[in-house]
């Protein structure tokens, strides 16, 4: 990992978060905490169930329509609501959540 990439991330609540985050603190904290809870609850093979759970959590706590992606190698180009984009790592897995109208 280059030093330029390292400078873009900051440890926050046990996750390596793209900094500065493009969402309010309560949404960022909720997303990270719920993801960590899911990692304890779901098995690795249950990724689809975990994604569904995280989407429902975000939709019910921070209004619909959230999109949830996670994995070790993916790309994304999207249009999202202002201040409703979250990107972080836990271990070697990246998590991307964003909200649309």
């Amino acid at each position: 990992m280059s030093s330029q990439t390292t400078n873009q991330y900051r440890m926050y609540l046990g996750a390596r978060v793209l900094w500065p985050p493009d969402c309010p603190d309560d949404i960022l904290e909720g997303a990270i905490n719920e993801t960590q809870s899911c990692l304890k609850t779901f098995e690795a093979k249950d990724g689809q169930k975990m994604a569904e759970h995280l989407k429902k959590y975000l939709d019910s706590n921070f209004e619909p329509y959230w999109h949830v992606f996670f994995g070790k190698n993916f790309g994304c180009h999207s249009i999202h609501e202002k201040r409703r984009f979250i990107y972080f790592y836990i271990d070697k897995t990246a998590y991307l959540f964003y909200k649309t109208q």
Side-chain angles (χ1 to χ4, degrees):
M1 184 178 292
S2 72
S3 62
Q4 184 179 23
T5 304
T6 303
N7 292 337
Q8 295 177 357
Y9 291 87
R10 183 178 294 174
M11 290 303 293
Y12 184 73
L13 298 174
R16 197 163 41 100
V17 179
L18 182 63
W19 209 265
D22 189 15
C23 69
D25 290 346
D26 62 330
I27 297 175
L28 179 61
E29 290 172 12
I32 292 171
N33 289 334
E34 193 66 21
T35 301
Q36 290 170 333
S37 176
C38 282
L39 290 170
K40 295 174 186 170
T41 304
F42 294 94
E43 295 182 27
K45 66 180 180 174
D46 293 332
Q48 185 173 347
K49 289 179 184 176
M50 184 172 153
E52 183 179 343
H53 174 88
L54 288 167
K55 180 191 173 15
K56 286 180 180 177
Y57 168 82
L58 291 166
D59 282 350
S60 66
N61 288 280
F62 306 110
E63 299 182 357
Y65 297 94
W66 285 88
H67 300 268
V68 173
F69 298 87
F70 56 89
K72 294 186 178 171
N73 189 14
F74 65 87
C76 180
H77 178 79
S78 67
I79 297 173
H80 58 84
E81 284 188 26
K82 187 176 181 178
R83 307 250 322 127
R84 297 296 184 266
F85 179 88
I86 304 167
Y87 188 72
F88 62 91
Y89 283 85
I90 295 177
D91 296 324
K92 293 186 179 194
T93 302
Y95 297 85
L96 168 64
F97 308 145
Y98 65 88
K99 185 178 182 297
T100 60
Q101 293 182 356

